[in-house]
Amino acid sequence: MASKQFIYAVRWHPVDGPALAPATLRNLFKALKRFIIYLTSCPNPILRFKDVLPHHCEDYIRDLVSSDTSRSAKYRSAQLMQKLHQYRGVMTDGLMIDPLSGEAASYIAGKDPCAFQSKTEIIPEETLGQLVRTSLQYVEYFAPYLLEMSDKVEAVRKRSGPIQVQYFGTRSLRQHGLEPYQLKGTRLEKGVRSLRQLSTELSYLQTACFVLIAFATGMRLSELLSMRSGCCQIETSPEQPDLIWLHSRVFKMQGVPDGRETKWLGGPVCAKAVLVLERLGSNVRRHAQAPYLWMPIPSTHGRYRTSTPLLQPTILRRLRLYVTMLGLKNSREQTYHIHPHMFRRTFARYVVRYDTTNLLALKEHFKHISLSMTDYYVGSDLELWTLMEEETERVSIESFDKALRAEQLAGPGGVRLRKKVNAAIAEGRLEKDFRGEAGAHLRKRMIVDLVEAGQRIYPCASSNYCWFHVESALCTDGDRPVLKHCNPGACSNSIITVEHKPHWERVRSDCEALMQDRPQALPYQKALRDIHAVSGAVLRSLK
């Protein structure tokens, strides 16, 4: 009876978000069936969910994690236990204890560090950097010129008709002055010389907008393509920065074919990209009487082409051509393959790795699925929350390894860690090659023990790592640090590695430049001297 009540509730009266689709419901029922079989097969069979005790859940999870079941199936089983506890109020005999003891279902499903290897790759930093820089160049500098050229061709089309647009349109392009635009030293320094070149560049411009919005929001492809003209909303409040929202629809796990309206927090770059797309597709939308933001680019010759919105194959082809134009190669010197979902995972990766001032607040907004998924950041997006959890674990494991294998460390925690590892190697408690490639297996085993013991390392942007110990933390919010208040030169949890050296070199350089201005305020002079001393000590330790 309790199972029937549970299934009915998640389908028709959900307490944590949209109703589950039938296909999702079927998968949930499979996980429910597996859990019930386990409970009824115990030496003393458990026949009611309210009779389940913590050790029953622990044994089930241990068997689940050690089984050959796929990670996705493990995740569904852990998620099912979580939902049973969440829906206990609508069941006659609900699961009264927290079966995961506060852990995330994604963490339970991927306790083995090897399980964090995702099928979807993260775009490498050097590739992503060039991709984003070029996209910003298109939106910031090329867009005004290209959009005006597109408007000129459209005006020629209206005057001379589709037959003569090729001749008069090309002539207008070549006669147009380039002085008002910031194109010197760029690939468009000489402007566009033909309608075919204009069409290609407009396609690149649209793709650049896609790259920026996809990377800056982490939206799925279906959510991106459902955006409409006017989707950008700017929310202002006194003495607060403006919030830029992108309105769209979310489809996955919503239980309705048309999805549900929601919004994503974007930023100034997303707002500019949307404005470019609205202007780029204005003529096409008017002819097609369609509201979609992602429409075919304006035809530069002949008649207007299809009026339907862009589909996934078109986006994939555009991305391939864009990457080819940029000359991005993989390790085998082949054109780097990028597909839209890679931006989603890369978004999660970079938020975890670099957004240290807002990351913990962001995770508070995501919550577990046992609480309402917030619309503040990504709407009802459980998958992105899961990616964030996975990336947090991945980055923590990588950070542990970097700290343990580093021979030069700075910061109070780094100096202490280096001494401990050196002493353990000298006394024979660790092998001599512990820090090298041969010691990778030893470090891996040690990291697994540390993670399972509840220890975590948090990256503090480009300045340091925080190997968090609550008893010695200078900034703390319960069992976690407040990274925006990090004092890397004084906190005992601070570990600074060689990869952080460029940050401290910039700090020292900026400090010296300010000291050369000979400020008059004594407190300011003292602050500069202190900062210079700290950065100098860090850099000496990293030599």
Side-chain angles (χ1 to χ4, degrees), residues 384 505 530:
L384 188 53
E505 289 175 339
D530 291 344

Side-chain angles (χ1 to χ4, degrees), residues 18-67:
L20 297 184
T24 306
L25 203 65
R26 183 176 64 246
N27 291 331
L28 195 68
F29 181 73
K30 289 179 181 178
L32 175 62
K33 184 178 177 181
R34 175 174 180 166
F35 187 46
I36 292 174
I37 290 174
Y38 169 80
L39 294 175
T40 56
S41 62
C42 291
N44 296 312
I46 307 298
L47 303 180
R48 296 184 301 182
F49 288 123
K50 73 175 185 180
D51 294 335
V52 175
L53 299 176
H55 72 86
H56 295 130
C57 296
E58 291 171 5
D59 292 344
Y60 179 68
I61 290 172
R62 184 178 59 251
D63 294 344
L64 182 68
V65 170
S66 61
S67 69

Side-chain angles (χ1 to χ4, degrees), residues 138-139 143 146-147 200-209 276 280:
Y138 264 92
V139 170
L146 293 173
L147 292 174
T200 299
E201 292 298 334
L202 290 175
S203 176
Y204 290 156
L205 176 61
Q206 192 177 51
T207 307
C209 293
V276 169
L280 176 62

